[in-house]
Amino acid sequence: QIHQTVLEINLTAIANNIKTIRSQLKPKVKLMAMVKAFSYGSGSYEIANMLQYHGVDYLAVAFADEGVELRKAGIHLPIMVMNPEMVSFDALVAYNLEPELYSPEIAKAFAAFLENEGLRNYPVHIKIDTGMHRLGFMRHQLQELAAIMQKENYFTIQSVFSHLASAEDADDDAFTFEQATLFDEACAYLQQHTSDSFFKHITNTSGIIRHTSLQYDMVRTGIGMF
């Protein structure tokens, strides 16, 4: 295919943005970089390789195939897969990718897959719905999640997280902190039902800038890198 349009990415500028974001973090707070949709169309390997070089702690992709391509290209950072489809479970395990579990159905399906494969303590990330209503466990589903987690130790929880719906909007700050309260309650409940020591994260780029009290153990940046 031949196109007249060229998109030029300044990796030095992105690296400087990462440095600026890090300067706003409290000590020991980790940084997860969102490289889903092939780094928002800017080139998955090139961006991920630069992030790996500059010591980002975690990467996140939308689908397993994106993570597979990064592994094949030599990216060894931990990678969270946000939409782990059942047909991709084999690839997740084969390429050491860590799925986000966002519902009882996907958690049960992945547990059944691990049981069939004879695997235990596989790293997963638990998403909590605190009000954005996109994906995530609701409060009334946490008991069912705890029961799944405790059965045969199929999972090791790497992180529990949620997403702020409007961290950039001062008019919605009350709702943002209501989300944080629900998140705290969910994390406390899950911690009572597991011996895993997991990271907590809820803050996106806008939250990093506006809500330093919500940095927890890790923050996420995506479009903020650009």
Side-chain angles (χ1 to χ4, degrees):
Q1 297 183 11
I2 300 174
H3 301 283
Q4 292 181 318
T5 303
V6 175
L7 174 64
E8 184 174 292
I9 306 296
N10 187 329
L11 294 177
T12 302
I14 294 179
N16 186 66
N17 291 342
I18 291 293
K19 181 179 179 180
T20 300
I21 290 168
R22 274 188 163 144
S23 71
Q24 301 183 55
L25 301 182
K26 298 176 182 178
K28 299 184 179 181
V29 173
K30 295 182 180 296
L31 182 61
M32 174 182 281
M34 312 299 291
V35 292
K36 59 186 179 180
F38 296 99
S39 296
Y40 302 92
S42 64
S44 55
Y45 167 71
E46 293 84 356
I47 300 297
N49 189 53
M50 180 273 297
L51 294 170
Q52 181 170 271
Y53 176 80
H54 287 282
V56 166
D57 300 286
Y58 250 96
L59 299 178
V61 297
F63 298 100
D65 58 346
E66 296 175 278
V68 170
E69 289 303 311
L70 292 179
R71 286 284 185 254
K72 289 181 177 179
I75 301 300
H76 55 73
L77 287 175
I79 299 176
M80 180 176 76
V81 177
M82 302 180 71
N83 296 284
E85 298 168 310
M86 294 182 189
V87 294
S88 71
F89 287 169
D90 282 321
L92 290 173
V93 172
Y95 290 92
N96 192 28
L97 305 173
E98 303 174 5
E100 167 192 317
L101 303 182
Y102 52 80
S103 71
E105 292 74 24
I106 195 69
K108 289 176 182 176
F110 193 54
F113 170 80
L114 294 175
E115 180 179 24
N116 188 60
E117 296 294 311
L119 297 173
R120 296 289 187 275
N121 300 310
Y122 196 87
V124 299
H125 301 261
I126 305 297
K127 185 170 187 181
I128 305 298
D129 186 340
T130 57
M132 192 165 186
H133 302 313
R134 184 183 290 170
L135 290 172
F137 285 89
M138 304 292 288
R139 184 186 308 183
H140 68 274
Q141 296 174 317
L142 293 180
Q143 184 175 0
E144 185 176 6
L145 172 60
I148 298 169
M149 285 163 34
Q150 292 173 327
K151 184 181 179 182
E152 301 295 335
N153 294 319
Y154 293 123
F155 307 140
T156 294
I157 302 178
Q158 296 295 99
S159 80
V160 176
F161 73 104
S162 190
H163 189 78
L164 297 177
S166 51
E168 73 283 352
D169 193 340
D171 291 338
D172 287 338
D173 280 353
F175 179 67
T176 292
F177 286 103
E178 181 180 326
Q179 284 191 269
T181 297
L182 292 174
F183 180 63
D184 289 338
E185 292 172 354
C187 288
Y189 180 87
L190 292 177
Q191 192 65 82
Q192 291 174 359
H193 293 82
T194 180
S195 59
D196 298 336
S197 179
F198 50 77
F199 298 125
K200 294 181 284 187
H201 51 112
I202 195 173
T203 303
N204 53 10
T205 299
S206 296
I208 294 170
I209 296 169
R210 299 194 61 251
H211 299 294
T212 56
S213 65
L214 302 182
Q215 291 183 4
Y216 291 97
D217 306 302
M218 186 157 63
V219 298
R220 305 187 302 271
T221 187
I223 200 67
M225 293 187 294
F226 299 90

